[in-house]
Amino acid sequence: MSGRLLRLVCTAAVAAGTVLAPLPAAAVPDPQAPGQRPVAELLTDLQTLYRDAEQATETYNATEEKLKKQRAEVDRLDAELARARLTLHDSRGAAGRLAREQYQNSTAISPYVRLLLARDPQHALDERHVIGQLARERAETVGRLVGSEKKSDGLAREARKALDGQLTLAARQKKDQDDVRKRLADIEKLLTSLTPDQLTALTDAEKTTTDKAQQKLVTSGALGDDTREPSREGDRALRYAVQQIGKPYEWGAEGPKTYDCSGLTSEAWGHAGTPIPRTSEEQWAELPRVPLNELRPGDLVIYFPEATHVALYLGDGKIVQAPRTGETVQVSPVASYPILGAVRPDSLPKGARGTARPAPTDPHPPTPHSPNGD
């Protein structure tokens, strides 16, 4: 845990969009004797709460992305429906003119009788040809009217269905939003129950745990020689991420002033000219995987079994990440959290991006340390 834990006490609720009053001692996780709880136990609780909050955040992000696409679909259908209705209006106008012309030119004498009685049969035949052409044009007018009506009705049904989907997603987004805020409130509840000494002990304990995990990972050779150069796109993505260092973490944020973990990685690669999925789960599921011993700067390192955290690999065993509520975009050890694996956004040709490729090695390598700091 970074040295910003004390500041977290004041900022966790603000990041969640709510301000919560301090809770009485009876509401803390262990009301019997919070000051007597082992630091390791407190660290486990806090890390679990952070992990739950980040998982809820990524769920919210996924719903937000679906809602954006659904809104775009509703807008597209509305525009297409407006054009179809204009075409229908024109078709109905043409059909009305046709009906008036037929009424004004109606006669009880059939075209065949008029041909027999004509003084100039050739002229009558020419006239008959014109009449036939007009008849075909009239049939086409009626056909266009029928087609326009069918298209307009079909688009109206699609637009209603798309709008219903948008409303459903909006309701789900509200639920996801409430879940994130609840998780962040749980974090604040635990932090406000601790003494300054406990907060300091937590900071030291987490740093010690991370240092041990980092040492174990580096000395194991799992990162290979770690001298690989980034690709041109990877370098651009990494430069963008480095420029964001010091900006606050905010759940659901994609910049330019605040970021969450996948907001930073997706924006970085988007600015490099390689759009990638918004959430860490989608990045893990859809981007080509690479083994840790082939990591190069710009690759994405995915954390936790549920793929709920992501960072950009900087090289030399370091990452650039937006860690969690109350902290800022920063450089951290690659073993800050349990590693699930790594992906490389620019491994596929542009036309094939967004398609998952099987991992060249075990997609679930041993993690440097457990979520509980073991």
Side-chain angles (χ1 to χ4, degrees), residues 126-140:
D126 291 342
E127 186 182 53
R128 184 82 177 104
H129 173 75
V130 173
I131 291 172
Q133 180 65 28
L134 290 173
R136 285 191 293 274
E137 291 177 358
R138 288 168 180 171
E140 290 173 0

Side-chain angles (χ1 to χ4, degrees), residues 211-269:
D211 289 346
K212 288 180 178 179
Q214 181 76 2
Q215 180 68 17
K216 181 178 179 181
L217 178 65
V218 171
T219 57
S220 70
L223 297 179
D225 59 15
D226 201 22
T227 58
R228 290 164 291 279
E229 295 293 324
S231 65
R232 184 173 60 179
E233 289 177 316
D235 181 67
R236 287 200 295 264
L238 200 53
R239 287 177 182 273
Y240 177 88
V242 168
Q243 290 171 356
Q244 313 314 309
I245 289 175
K247 294 184 179 180
Y249 176 100
E250 181 181 7
W251 66 272
E254 302 174 72
K257 295 182 179 180
T258 59
Y259 296 88
D260 64 17
C261 69
S262 57
L264 177 64
T265 56
S266 59
E267 284 297 300
W269 274 97

Side-chain angles (χ1 to χ4, degrees), residues 3 10 36 43 65 72 99 115 127 138 143 151 164 208 252-253 276-277 285 306 348:
C10 301
Q36 302 301 316
L43 182 58
E65 284 303 294
L115 178 61
E127 186 182 53
R138 288 168 180 171
K151 183 176 182 180
D164 289 342
T208 299
I276 63 174
E306 301 83 7
L348 293 177

Side-chain angles (χ1 to χ4, degrees), residues 261-292:
C261 69
S262 57
L264 177 64
T265 56
S266 59
E267 284 297 300
W269 274 97
H271 278 74
T274 305
I276 63 174
R278 167 65 174 90
T279 70
S280 57
E281 292 97 331
E282 292 172 316
Q283 291 168 12
W284 173 247
E286 298 181 25
L287 298 177
R289 298 177 186 175
V290 292
L292 293 182

Side-chain angles (χ1 to χ4, degrees), residues 80-93:
E80 192 172 348
L81 181 57
R83 291 192 295 269
R85 283 173 172 165
L86 182 60
T87 300
L88 177 58
H89 180 270
D90 293 341
S91 298
R92 283 174 174 165

Side-chain angles (χ1 to χ4, degrees), residues 39-70:
V39 171
E41 185 179 325
L42 291 171
L43 182 58
T44 296
D45 287 351
L46 188 58
Q47 289 178 331
T48 299
L49 290 173
Y50 274 123
R51 180 175 170 183
D52 289 346
E54 190 152 46
Q55 186 167 5
T57 296
E58 291 300 281
T59 299
Y60 168 86
N61 290 338
T63 303
E64 172 66 14
E65 284 303 294
K66 291 177 183 177
L67 185 55
K68 286 180 183 177
K69 293 176 182 178
Q70 193 66 22

